[in-house]
Amino acid sequence: MAATLVEENTAAGNNSRQWSLLGDDILNMIIDKFDNIYDYARFGAVCKPWLSFSHRFYYQKKHLFRANHQLPLLVVPMEGHQQIRGLYNIATDTLCNQIQLTLPYKRCCGSSYGWLFFVDNKSAEIEFLLINPFASESERSLIKLPPILCYHTVSQMDEYGVKKAVLSKDPNEFPNDFEVIAIYGGMKVLAHYKSGDQFWSYPKPTRKLQCFADVIFYKGMAYAVDSHSWIVRIYRKRFKKISPSGNSSPCYLRFKTINQKLSNTSFVNYSGNAYLVETCKGELLHVRRDYWTLEESMAIDAENEAEERRVQAEYEARTQEEHNEIMERIERESENQNVEDYEIMASKVSEVLFDEPHLSVNFTVFKLDYPLSKGQKSTETLNGEILFIGDNHSVSVPSSRCPNLPPNSIYYTDDYIDVYRHNIQFGSCDTGLFNIDNKSFGKHFVPSFSAEGMPPPIFVVPRYRIK
């Protein structure tokens, strides 16, 4: 019916003002078919009455979009514009020309509830800027968080000093009840911030290696995973004694193990990246992303074992006194062994990836049984859902919401930062999709220009609300 009226108006030569005369019942029929903000933006651009109507409709129906997991859009670089980013709709393979985002010309290290995380590296500390380019005039569009104290090694104080940051809730809806967890530093440790706090909270200092890959807020709790399948629940606990200077958080972070850590001395057990994703049915998935084939991982393990045997042979060839001195030194430094193992592994990785870009070679998905039981089970299906992972807060969308996309697929962006800036020189090339059913790879966003040196794309789920 709406299409008929459009054709009649066009044939009669009426100008765009005639669109404002359409009744609410017809507009309801049109807008009820929308899936994401891309459709709302195009609809609202027709005329002011349609813009007002789209806001009213979304305000009434927005709970449906949250329940059904809205399709993310891709924030992409624009050729010839450093401060401007575009929004790309992977379902329609089109760039939304009606929306252009003014953002810092640097890597975005997090995306949650329409907010984008950037590191403000004007100081010698890591400070976050939260930018919401979709906020209305009555809402906050910029939040600056307190600086993170770099107790751990941070070789870069810019946007690559942070692995990822996520929000628990939308700060515009819950200004006094949102939390942030960031993964930062060379060892990828955690920091936690709660709205209203003056300082971040950190784990107690430890010599154990805690190198996390992803975090998620799930059913009111926070969880983190590392690249060796160690999954923990995160909670804050107050110090028994508070610093008299009052210049630090009164709380620290503690972890409860949900899934046991695999051996971190075996490269076969290592995944280049790992993610936690909540499905549309409320289940929790663990996704492992590999940049090396099994054969390559086994070769690295074999090389490490050969090096260990060579060193051991040298120890045994020396005098007993020298051997004892060596063993004493090894015993003194044993608590640092995890860090040394990580450095050896990172060195091997650098050698493999030095001359060419890294590309994903496989994804493995596990379903977590917690809280019914600890552990996880591998799964060969996503039950028709589609995952969106990368630097963004991981998202799952039912395939019924995006029939143009293959079900049981994982859409991913380039987010591997272990080798500093490595893939950026190639144009952030590890962006694509992986089909769980047939283990095949494909592409989604391929720029028509050279993206070398530009900030990598990132998925975002805009929060579209009444003004």
Side-chain angles (χ1 to χ4, degrees):
M1 183 177 182
T4 302
L5 287 176
V6 170
E7 292 171 0
E8 290 177 355
N9 282 338
T10 303
N14 293 337
N15 58 36
S16 61
R17 287 176 294 180
Q18 290 293 330
W19 294 110
S20 63
L21 301 180
L22 290 179
D24 286 359
D25 55 339
I26 297 179
L27 297 182
N28 258 310
M29 293 172 59
I30 299 173
I31 207 169
D32 193 40
K33 304 296 184 181
F34 293 172
D35 288 326
N36 51 59
I37 193 176
Y38 181 86
D39 299 322
Y40 278 93
R42 299 184 67 179
F43 181 88
V46 174
C47 58
K48 289 184 178 180
W50 283 31
L51 177 63
S52 176
F53 181 85
S54 67
H55 281 291
R56 294 200 311 272
F57 184 93
Y58 186 86
Y59 182 71
Q60 296 168 358
K61 303 292 184 180
K62 64 180 180 179
H63 65 281
L64 297 178
F65 282 81
R66 294 175 190 168
N68 294 335
H69 292 233
Q70 183 181 338
L71 177 68
L73 300 177
L74 196 61
V75 179
V76 297
M78 300 289 286
E79 185 178 18
H81 299 281
Q82 288 195 347
Q83 302 298 325
I84 300 296
R85 310 278 182 93
L87 282 179
Y88 181 81
N89 188 327
I90 62 173
T92 59
D93 192 24
T94 55
L95 189 67
C96 182
N97 295 320
Q98 290 88 351
I99 301 178
Q100 292 186 342
L101 310 180
T102 302
L103 298 170
Y105 188 69
K106 59 178 65 177
R107 171 179 169 263
C108 178
C109 53
S111 167
S112 290
Y113 298 97
W115 290 84
L116 302 175
F117 285 82
F118 293 91
V119 172
D120 183 11
N121 57 334
K122 295 180 180 179
S123 65
E125 299 174 302
I126 292 180
E127 295 187 20
F128 281 114
L129 288 178
L130 276 71
I131 300 176
N132 188 343
F134 311 100
S136 66
E137 295 179 358
S138 62
E139 296 176 318
R140 289 188 295 177
S141 60
L142 178 66
I143 298 176
K144 189 171 184 177
L145 300 181
I148 289 181
L149 300 178
C150 297
Y151 294 123
H152 304 268
T153 302
V154 181
S155 55
Q156 292 84 30
M157 305 300 280
D158 60 9
E159 65 268 32
Y160 285 88
V162 177
K163 163 67 176 174
K164 176 184 277 191
V166 299
L167 282 163
S168 64
K169 300 176 182 178
D170 186 347
N172 275 325
E173 292 190 32
F174 303 93
N176 301 315
D177 188 30
F178 72 89
E179 301 171 58
V180 178
I181 294 182
I183 305 175
Y184 75 101
M187 293 293 105
K188 298 184 179 60
V189 293
L190 299 182
H192 176 275
Y193 171 82
K194 184 173 178 58
S195 55
D197 289 353
Q198 291 182 290
F199 308 99
W200 292 74
S201 299
Y202 311 90
K204 285 185 175 180
T206 176
R207 291 186 180 276
K208 294 182 179 180
L209 186 62
Q210 298 172 338
C211 186
F212 289 102
D214 194 18
V215 293
I216 190 174
F217 288 93
Y218 173 70
K219 295 186 177 180
M221 298 298 300
Y223 297 85
V225 61
D226 78 347
S227 292
H228 290 92
S229 291
W230 185 43
I231 301 174
V232 299
R233 191 184 76 189
I234 309 164
Y235 59 99
R236 297 204 310 175
K237 189 170 183 178
R238 296 186 69 87
F239 285 106
K240 293 182 179 179
K241 295 182 180 180
I242 301 177
S243 173
S245 61
N247 61 353
S248 61
S249 173
C251 300
Y252 64 96
L253 301 183
R254 295 196 64 180
F255 306 138
K256 179 180 179 180
T257 297
I258 304 304
N259 190 71
Q260 293 293 335
K261 187 183 188 77
L262 299 175
S263 171
N264 62 347
T265 59
S266 174
F267 202 74
V268 171
N269 292 328
Y270 176 82
S271 62
N273 258 322
Y275 311 87
L276 294 175
V277 191
E278 180 180 1
T279 70
C280 302
K281 296 180 180 179
E283 298 173 326
L284 188 59
L285 300 180
H286 168 209
V287 180
R288 287 166 59 88
R289 179 175 179 176
D290 296 318
Y291 301 108
W292 305 271
T293 64
L294 179 61
E295 291 76 13
E296 290 172 332
S297 299
M298 293 176 64
I300 293 175
D301 280 339
E303 186 177 348
N304 288 338
E305 291 175 2
E307 179 66 14
E308 291 176 2
R309 289 194 298 268
R310 184 190 66 79
V311 172
Q312 182 64 32
E314 288 183 358
Y315 288 166
E316 295 175 353
R318 294 176 182 175
T319 64
Q320 186 64 39
E321 182 178 353
E322 291 175 335
H323 180 73
N324 291 339
E325 291 179 356
I326 292 174
M327 295 307 296
E328 289 177 2
R329 177 176 61 82
I330 292 175
E331 184 176 353
R332 288 194 304 269
E333 297 178 354
S334 61
E335 54 189 2
N336 293 326
Q337 191 62 46
N338 282 340
V339 176
E340 293 174 0
D341 290 339
Y342 174 81
E343 291 174 348
I344 292 174
M345 181 182 66
S347 175
K348 298 298 182 183
V349 172
S350 298
E351 292 175 7
V352 172
L353 300 178
F354 186 76
D355 292 327
E356 57 186 18
H358 70 268
L359 296 175
S360 301
V361 298
N362 188 45
F363 288 83
T364 311
V365 181
F366 299 88
K367 183 183 298 184
L368 300 176
D369 293 329
Y370 185 81
L372 298 178
S373 63
K374 291 186 177 182
Q376 57 184 351
K377 297 178 180 179
S378 62
T379 177
E380 296 297 327
T381 180
L382 299 177
N383 296 317
E385 297 188 18
I386 304 172
L387 308 185
F388 298 86
I389 59 176
D391 288 320
N392 58 291
H393 191 151
S394 303
V395 176
S396 179
V397 177
S399 57
S400 59
R401 294 291 305 277
C402 37
N404 293 338
L405 303 182
N408 297 319
S409 294
I410 300 175
Y411 281 76
Y412 58 91
T413 57
D414 201 337
D415 64 346
Y416 188 76
I417 64 172
D418 280 350
V419 182
Y420 181 60
R421 294 184 185 274
H422 181 79
N423 260 19
I424 296 301
Q425 62 180 309
F426 299 99
S428 188
C429 53
D430 193 31
T431 296
L433 67 100
F434 177 78
N435 190 298
I436 293 292
D437 293 334
N438 55 25
K439 311 298 182 184
S440 64
F441 283 86
K443 287 290 184 181
H444 53 82
F445 170 73
V446 179
S448 59
F449 54 89
S450 174
E452 294 180 8
M454 292 187 177
I458 184 173
F459 287 113
V460 62
V461 179
R463 308 290 280 180
Y464 191 81
R465 55 176 60 80
I466 192 170
K467 295 185 178 181

mmCIF file of all heavy atoms in Angstrom, residues 11 19 29 47 79 98 103 108 154 178 195-196 258 279 297 366 379 441 446 465:
data_model
loop_
_atom_site.group_PDB
_atom_site.id
_atom_site.type_symbol
_atom_site.label_atom_id
_atom_site.label_comp_id
_atom_site.label_asym_id
_atom_site.label_seq_id
_atom_site.Cartn_x
_atom_site.Cartn_y
_atom_site.Cartn_z
ATOM 1 N N ALA A 11 4.279 9.936 -9.764
ATOM 2 C CA ALA A 11 3.682 10.140 -11.072
ATOM 3 C C ALA A 11 2.996 11.494 -11.174
ATOM 4 O O ALA A 11 2.953 12.116 -12.229
ATOM 5 C CB ALA A 11 2.666 9.023 -11.352
ATOM 6 N N TRP A 19 5.436 13.704 1.211
ATOM 7 C CA TRP A 19 5.685 12.540 2.064
ATOM 8 C C TRP A 19 5.226 12.803 3.495
ATOM 9 O O TRP A 19 4.840 11.876 4.202
ATOM 10 C CB TRP A 19 7.176 12.207 2.051
ATOM 11 C CG TRP A 19 7.681 11.744 0.726
ATOM 12 C CD1 TRP A 19 8.520 12.435 -0.097
ATOM 13 C CD2 TRP A 19 7.358 10.538 0.049
ATOM 14 N NE1 TRP A 19 8.757 11.727 -1.243
ATOM 15 C CE2 TRP A 19 8.050 10.545 -1.185
ATOM 16 C CE3 TRP A 19 6.545 9.443 0.348
ATOM 17 C CZ2 TRP A 19 7.975 9.504 -2.094
ATOM 18 C CZ3 TRP A 19 6.463 8.402 -0.554
ATOM 19 C CH2 TRP A 19 7.176 8.444 -1.766
ATOM 20 N N MET A 29 3.530 0.685 9.049
ATOM 21 C CA MET A 29 3.751 -0.473 8.189
ATOM 22 C C MET A 29 5.163 -0.471 7.614
ATOM 23 O O MET A 29 5.802 -1.523 7.465
ATOM 24 C CB MET A 29 2.725 -0.479 7.047
ATOM 25 C CG MET A 29 1.292 -0.720 7.498
ATOM 26 S SD MET A 29 0.128 -0.474 6.135
ATOM 27 C CE MET A 29 0.723 -1.671 4.942
ATOM 28 N N CYS A 47 12.032 13.680 5.658
ATOM 29 C CA CYS A 47 11.434 14.944 6.092
ATOM 30 C C CYS A 47 11.358 14.960 7.612
ATOM 31 O O CYS A 47 11.494 13.914 8.272
ATOM 32 C CB CYS A 47 10.036 15.139 5.486
ATOM 33 S SG CYS A 47 8.878 13.814 5.902
ATOM 34 N N GLU A 79 38.224 7.437 2.615
ATOM 35 C CA GLU A 79 39.359 7.866 1.804
ATOM 36 C C GLU A 79 39.480 9.382 1.796
ATOM 37 O O GLU A 79 38.517 10.105 1.544
ATOM 38 C CB GLU A 79 39.200 7.363 0.366
ATOM 39 C CG GLU A 79 40.391 7.663 -0.533
ATOM 40 C CD GLU A 79 40.218 7.120 -1.928
ATOM 41 O OE1 GLU A 79 39.065 6.813 -2.301
ATOM 42 O OE2 GLU A 79 41.234 6.997 -2.635
ATOM 43 N N GLN A 98 24.235 8.832 4.520
ATOM 44 C CA GLN A 98 23.545 9.839 5.331
ATOM 45 C C GLN A 98 24.220 10.069 6.679
ATOM 46 O O GLN A 98 23.944 11.052 7.358
ATOM 47 C CB GLN A 98 22.077 9.425 5.574
ATOM 48 C CG GLN A 98 21.201 9.479 4.340
ATOM 49 C CD GLN A 98 21.258 8.170 3.569
ATOM 50 O OE1 GLN A 98 22.065 7.308 3.872
ATOM 51 N NE2 GLN A 98 20.396 8.041 2.574
ATOM 52 N N LEU A 103 35.427 11.417 14.323
ATOM 53 C CA LEU A 103 36.102 10.665 15.374
ATOM 54 C C LEU A 103 37.603 10.896 15.301
ATOM 55 O O LEU A 103 38.134 11.278 14.254
ATOM 56 C CB LEU A 103 35.809 9.170 15.231
ATOM 57 C CG LEU A 103 34.342 8.734 15.355
ATOM 58 C CD1 LEU A 103 34.178 7.280 14.944
ATOM 59 C CD2 LEU A 103 33.828 8.954 16.771
ATOM 60 N N CYS A 108 40.255 2.586 17.470
ATOM 61 C CA CYS A 108 39.202 2.524 18.478
ATOM 62 C C CYS A 108 39.382 1.207 19.224
ATOM 63 O O CYS A 108 39.341 0.132 18.620
ATOM 64 C CB CYS A 108 37.831 2.593 17.816
ATOM 65 S SG CYS A 108 36.446 2.454 18.955
ATOM 66 N N VAL A 154 53.790 -1.161 30.023
ATOM 67 C CA VAL A 154 53.026 -0.664 28.881
ATOM 68 C C VAL A 154 54.024 -0.005 27.947
ATOM 69 O O VAL A 154 54.496 1.099 28.192
ATOM 70 C CB VAL A 154 51.941 0.342 29.308
ATOM 71 C CG1 VAL A 154 51.154 0.803 28.086
ATOM 72 C CG2 VAL A 154 51.009 -0.270 30.336
ATOM 73 N N PHE A 178 27.075 2.331 35.836
ATOM 74 C CA PHE A 178 27.763 1.616 34.762
ATOM 75 C C PHE A 178 29.190 1.310 35.183
ATOM 76 O O PHE A 178 29.763 1.977 36.042
ATOM 77 C CB PHE A 178 27.740 2.412 33.452
ATOM 78 C CG PHE A 178 28.631 3.633 33.443
ATOM 79 C CD1 PHE A 178 29.955 3.555 33.044
ATOM 80 C CD2 PHE A 178 28.135 4.873 33.825
ATOM 81 C CE1 PHE A 178 30.772 4.670 33.026
ATOM 82 C CE2 PHE A 178 28.941 5.999 33.807
ATOM 83 C CZ PHE A 178 30.260 5.903 33.405
ATOM 84 N N SER A 195 31.174 3.775 37.824
ATOM 85 C CA SER A 195 30.755 5.181 37.754
ATOM 86 C C SER A 195 30.738 5.808 39.142
ATOM 87 O O SER A 195 30.246 5.217 40.100
ATOM 88 C CB SER A 195 29.358 5.276 37.123
ATOM 89 O OG SER A 195 28.430 4.472 37.832
ATOM 90 N N GLY A 196 31.298 6.995 39.218
ATOM 91 C CA GLY A 196 31.387 7.704 40.485
ATOM 92 C C GLY A 196 32.701 7.519 41.204
ATOM 93 O O GLY A 196 33.037 8.306 42.102
ATOM 94 N N ILE A 258 36.529 -20.413 36.294
ATOM 95 C CA ILE A 258 35.371 -21.105 35.738
ATOM 96 C C ILE A 258 35.817 -22.251 34.842
ATOM 97 O O ILE A 258 35.222 -23.323 34.829
ATOM 98 C CB ILE A 258 34.486 -20.124 34.939
ATOM 99 C CG1 ILE A 258 34.064 -18.946 35.824
ATOM 100 C CG2 ILE A 258 33.267 -20.833 34.369
ATOM 101 C CD1 ILE A 258 33.354 -19.351 37.096
ATOM 102 N N THR A 279 24.807 -15.529 23.542
ATOM 103 C CA THR A 279 23.920 -15.817 22.434
ATOM 104 C C THR A 279 22.550 -15.178 22.663
ATOM 105 O O THR A 279 22.248 -14.677 23.746
ATOM 106 C CB THR A 279 23.733 -17.334 22.257
ATOM 107 O OG1 THR A 279 22.959 -17.844 23.356
ATOM 108 C CG2 THR A 279 25.075 -18.043 22.202
ATOM 109 N N SER A 297 52.014 -24.674 14.749
ATOM 110 C CA SER A 297 52.086 -24.650 16.213
ATOM 111 C C SER A 297 52.943 -25.799 16.726
ATOM 112 O O SER A 297 53.754 -25.617 17.651
ATOM 113 C CB SER A 297 50.681 -24.749 16.803
ATOM 114 O OG SER A 297 49.884 -23.658 16.408
ATOM 115 N N PHE A 366 33.200 -23.006 21.745
ATOM 116 C CA PHE A 366 32.856 -23.841 22.890
ATOM 117 C C PHE A 366 31.658 -23.238 23.605
ATOM 118 O O PHE A 366 31.505 -22.016 23.664
ATOM 119 C CB PHE A 366 34.031 -23.945 23.867
ATOM 120 C CG PHE A 366 35.265 -24.571 23.283
ATOM 121 C CD1 PHE A 366 36.199 -23.785 22.620
ATOM 122 C CD2 PHE A 366 35.496 -25.926 23.394
ATOM 123 C CE1 PHE A 366 37.339 -24.357 22.079
ATOM 124 C CE2 PHE A 366 36.632 -26.505 22.851
ATOM 125 C CZ PHE A 366 37.548 -25.718 22.195
ATOM 126 N N THR A 379 31.380 -27.083 20.136
ATOM 127 C CA THR A 379 30.135 -27.157 19.381
ATOM 128 C C THR A 379 30.419 -26.891 17.913
ATOM 129 O O THR A 379 31.289 -26.076 17.578
ATOM 130 C CB THR A 379 29.091 -26.160 19.914
ATOM 131 O OG1 THR A 379 27.903 -26.208 19.111
ATOM 132 C CG2 THR A 379 29.627 -24.735 19.898
ATOM 133 N N PHE A 441 36.237 -19.503 4.543
ATOM 134 C CA PHE A 441 36.428 -18.087 4.824
ATOM 135 C C PHE A 441 35.851 -17.247 3.689
ATOM 136 O O PHE A 441 35.758 -17.692 2.541
ATOM 137 C CB PHE A 441 37.913 -17.765 4.988
ATOM 138 C CG PHE A 441 38.492 -18.175 6.316
ATOM 139 C CD1 PHE A 441 38.971 -19.459 6.500
ATOM 140 C CD2 PHE A 441 38.530 -17.284 7.374
ATOM 141 C CE1 PHE A 441 39.503 -19.851 7.719
ATOM 142 C CE2 PHE A 441 39.057 -17.656 8.592
ATOM 143 C CZ PHE A 441 39.543 -18.949 8.775
ATOM 144 N N VAL A 446 35.568 -4.689 1.967
ATOM 145 C CA VAL A 446 36.834 -4.517 1.246
ATOM 146 C C VAL A 446 36.835 -3.093 0.696
ATOM 147 O O VAL A 446 36.059 -2.770 -0.206
ATOM 148 C CB VAL A 446 36.986 -5.527 0.097
ATOM 149 C CG1 VAL A 446 38.305 -5.284 -0.638
ATOM 150 C CG2 VAL A 446 36.910 -6.948 0.622
ATOM 151 N N ARG A 465 17.565 6.554 20.052
ATOM 152 C CA ARG A 465 16.528 6.834 21.041
ATOM 153 C C ARG A 465 15.873 8.181 20.783
ATOM 154 O O ARG A 465 16.373 8.990 20.014
ATOM 155 C CB ARG A 465 17.110 6.813 22.453
ATOM 156 C CG ARG A 465 18.292 7.759 22.635
ATOM 157 C CD ARG A 465 18.750 7.774 24.060
ATOM 158 N NE ARG A 465 19.161 6.464 24.490
ATOM 159 C CZ ARG A 465 20.330 5.928 24.207
ATOM 160 N NH1 ARG A 465 21.191 6.575 23.483
ATOM 161 N NH2 ARG A 465 20.656 4.734 24.636
#
